[in-house]
Amino acid sequence: MNWKPDRHSHLSLHIQIVDWMTTLISRGEWTVGMKLPPQRKLAELLGVNRSTIIEVLDELKADGLLEMKRGAGTFVSNNSWNMLLNKSQPNWHKHIEASIHKPNYHTIQLINEYEQDSSMIRLGTGELSPELLPTKLLEQSLQSISLNARDIGYSEPKGSKRLRIILSDYLKKRGIHTSPESILIVSGALQALQLISVGLLEQQSIIFQEHPSYLNSVHPFQSAGMQMVSVEQNEHLAKTLKAARGKKQSLFYTIPTLHNPIGSSLTIEERQRLLDICTALQIPIVEDDVYHELLFEESPPAMKSLDQTGQVLYIGSVSKTLSPGLRIGWVVAPEAVINRLADIKMQTDYGSSAFSQEIVAYWLSSGLYEEHVTRLRQQLKERALFIETILEKDFGRIATWEKSKGGFYIWLRFNKPLVNKTLFLKLIKQNVLINPGYIYDSQDLHHIRLSYAYANLEELKERLHILLSNI
């Protein structure tokens, strides 16, 4: 044993000796079961105090590399190589537990997993059926799109200028008058929420949401350190918002047209009232308007169209109408806000897909998009009527619901609190996937978000009977 610690090193004697012994064990020079010299002898050989040796041996015992056998001495542990292997690898579980982004509910993780299983019938998914997507027309339209080198490179921070100009004109039909400079192209509405959460708010800000809420099934604000507060839109709303906000920054998230998961829509009077309350309290509003084109009757005006002060951040998307795979949405907001969000987006993904932006621009400008949406509304209306007929026949005594006014969903309420994790897992075993109410409100054991947009009619009928037999 010729090695001795270096007393001139910036490392302490203790650390040097621990590293030296660990290296000898890892190289196999100190083999499993080998007995170490007594403490006094080690201290003498290494030229250090016995107290230093005691600290070193205690640390290596705690790490599982050494073990003490009473009356026999100190030995290299039988498990030393496994402990060294574990010690050499990052503790990824610890990293994951300490990370910023919150894990989703286990039920939602299972939904995301089983939605990829082709044998599973999806009764709650927020996605159009493949048979409702204009696949052939999309394919044909590619022949009509001309591209140059700039078109397929990185787009400018706010997104394709051509698409933003087209959107500026298209949004006038929604009563929204805005310039291309006040529009940001995003990779779907969820990215818009993520950008807003990290770009416009401080940690511990208050996010007001309607009850129940889609935001409880995703965590863009929660993971940014925001506090979620669910509120009812009643006569006490102004007092509730003022009291809950206190002196903190706040924001109100709403889906005023075809609310997810309920499917309801605010009247123009209710929209104006909410806008007036939030304006008076200086609480910005995020209007998520991704479903409005699927309303069966004429849609009320967007809240953004009533906004005279830049109070409303407006979000739109083609994910619910044209194709979720295109990943194209947009935010309309004051130019200073758009500039801020665009800067963060460039730091995040350097722009949404150039190809997808060109496709959406072509569909909006050619009239193909509006033609498709008109057909789609009729198809969804027929599906809604089909599923409501089944509900009236088979579920009338055990559940209640509102007739669908558009979109994808019926908010089905069972008279008894039956919709729990046990039912969810039981149905999975029978190849039925539901979206239970408790993923939108943790206390809700009565509701299922029932979608008529994805499964074909025969599958809907068959799986509703399976659902009924398990209630």
Side-chain angles (χ1 to χ4, degrees), residues 235-251:
E235 65 274 16
H236 306 297
L237 180 61
K239 290 183 179 179
T240 301
L241 296 182
K242 187 175 182 179
R245 180 191 63 174
K247 296 183 179 180
K248 295 181 179 179
Q249 281 190 348
S250 57
L251 179 151

Side-chain angles (χ1 to χ4, degrees), residues 413-452:
R413 185 188 191 280
F414 290 96
N415 299 334
K416 297 180 180 180
L418 305 169
V419 188
N420 52 31
K421 185 75 170 286
T422 300
L423 175 65
F424 173 79
L425 295 174
K426 187 177 180 182
L427 288 169
I428 281 180
K429 292 180 179 179
Q430 299 172 71
N431 291 340
V432 177
L433 190 61
I434 62 169
N435 281 43
Y438 64 77
I439 67 176
Y440 309 106
D441 171 6
S442 61
Q443 304 303 312
D444 186 355
L445 299 178
H446 285 273
H447 286 93
I448 287 176
R449 189 185 79 174
L450 192 58
S451 170
Y452 48 79

Side-chain angles (χ1 to χ4, degrees), residues 367-384:
L368 279 173
Y369 181 72
E370 289 184 274
E371 292 174 8
H372 162 68
V373 169
T374 299
R375 288 192 300 270
L376 179 60
R377 273 197 301 268
Q378 184 57 38
Q379 291 170 311
L380 289 172
K381 192 172 184 178
E382 292 169 1
R383 283 168 163 260

Side-chain angles (χ1 to χ4, degrees), residues 215-331:
L215 282 187
N216 290 331
S217 66
V218 290
H219 293 153
F221 292 105
Q222 295 93 318
S223 294
M226 311 301 166
Q227 300 180 56
M228 311 302 296
V229 177
S230 296
V231 296
E232 300 284 351
Q233 293 213 37
N234 54 31
E235 65 274 16
H236 306 297
L237 180 61
K239 290 183 179 179
T240 301
L241 296 182
K242 187 175 182 179
R245 180 191 63 174
K247 296 183 179 180
K248 295 181 179 179
Q249 281 190 348
S250 57
L251 179 151
F252 197 112
Y253 172 80
T254 180
I255 308 177
T257 305
L258 296 176
H259 178 277
N260 180 11
I262 293 177
S264 61
S265 295
L266 299 181
T267 65
I268 187 170
E269 292 79 16
E270 290 170 330
R271 293 166 195 246
Q272 187 67 61
R273 178 174 176 270
L274 176 58
L275 179 59
D276 291 344
I277 290 172
C278 288
T279 300
L281 294 173
Q282 294 186 312
I283 299 175
I285 296 172
V286 173
E287 179 182 12
D288 190 338
D289 204 30
V290 300
Y291 291 99
H292 83 271
E293 290 167 310
L294 302 178
L295 198 67
F296 296 154
E297 305 298 332
E298 185 176 351
S299 176
M303 288 185 66
K304 183 64 178 173
S305 71
L306 308 173
D307 177 23
Q308 302 298 318
T309 60
Q311 188 79 15
V312 178
L313 311 182
Y314 178 88
I315 298 175
S317 170
V318 298
S319 292
K320 304 301 181 183
T321 51
L322 183 58
S323 167
L326 289 172
R327 307 307 306 135
I328 295 296
W330 49 87
V331 182

Side-chain angles (χ1 to χ4, degrees), residues 20 25-26 47 63 119 123 188 226 283 286 302 331 341 350 352 363 432 434 443 449 469:
W20 172 67
I25 295 172
S26 66
D63 287 345
S119 67
L123 287 185
M226 311 301 166
I283 299 175
V286 173
V331 182
L341 300 183
Y350 230 70
S352 299
W363 272 67
V432 177
I434 62 169
Q443 304 303 312
R449 189 185 79 174
S469 67

Side-chain angles (χ1 to χ4, degrees), residues 85-136:
L85 178 61
N86 291 335
K87 192 174 181 180
S88 68
Q89 297 175 336
N91 186 342
W92 287 117
H93 183 73
K94 184 177 180 180
H95 281 279
I96 290 169
E97 288 295 319
S99 65
I100 294 172
H101 208 287
K102 304 299 180 186
N104 219 329
Y105 300 125
H106 183 240
T107 294
I108 300 175
Q109 292 180 16
L110 289 175
I111 290 172
N112 293 335
E113 176 186 346
Y114 281 106
E115 280 188 339
Q116 309 310 312
D117 185 343
S118 59
S119 67
M120 195 70 60
I121 303 303
R122 297 152 61 173
L123 287 185
T125 191
E127 185 179 342
L128 284 172
S129 166
E131 65 186 48
L132 296 179
L133 296 175
T135 308
K136 287 295 182 183

